[in-house]
Amino acid sequence: AKFRRLSQSEVVKQQEEINAGEISDRDIIDAVLIGWAGVADESGVELEFNHDNLDMALEMFPVRPSIVRAYFDSLKNAKQKN
């Protein structure tokens, strides 16, 4: 997954919204996911990153929570690098 980097204030706001139950996994994904590599259909044909393919992928469990977890892991790893 390729994620858009948010500013510190955006991350704080996002965390507050999560804690308040104001945003869903899909909201988080829509805000930060900007691409992917290695995502393929059942025939092994790589899927282009676009709205329709994202919708299709998000219908398969556990894609949504996995993307959100990967996003937050990327934030933790970014903090460790600084």
Side-chain angles (χ1 to χ4, degrees), residues 22-76:
E22 297 172 351
I23 60 174
S24 67
D25 284 355
R26 179 61 194 249
D27 295 328
I28 295 166
I29 291 166
D30 287 342
V32 299
L33 186 65
I34 59 173
W36 61 36
V39 177
D41 67 14
E42 38 306 314
S43 303
V45 176
E46 193 156 330
L47 296 174
E48 175 185 351
F49 179 77
N50 61 43
H51 183 75
D52 291 337
N53 288 338
L54 177 60
D55 285 346
M56 181 178 59
L58 292 177
E59 284 300 313
M60 293 181 279
F61 185 80
V63 172
R64 280 179 200 231
S66 296
I67 292 172
V68 172
R69 188 175 320 109
Y71 166 64
F72 285 111
D73 286 348
S74 77
L75 291 179
K76 285 186 231 174

Side-chain angles (χ1 to χ4, degrees), residues 4-16:
R4 180 173 78 89
R5 286 289 176 212
L6 303 179
S7 68
Q8 182 65 36
S9 60
E10 288 173 308
V11 171
V12 169
K13 181 178 184 287
Q14 185 180 61
Q15 196 62 53
E16 290 169 351

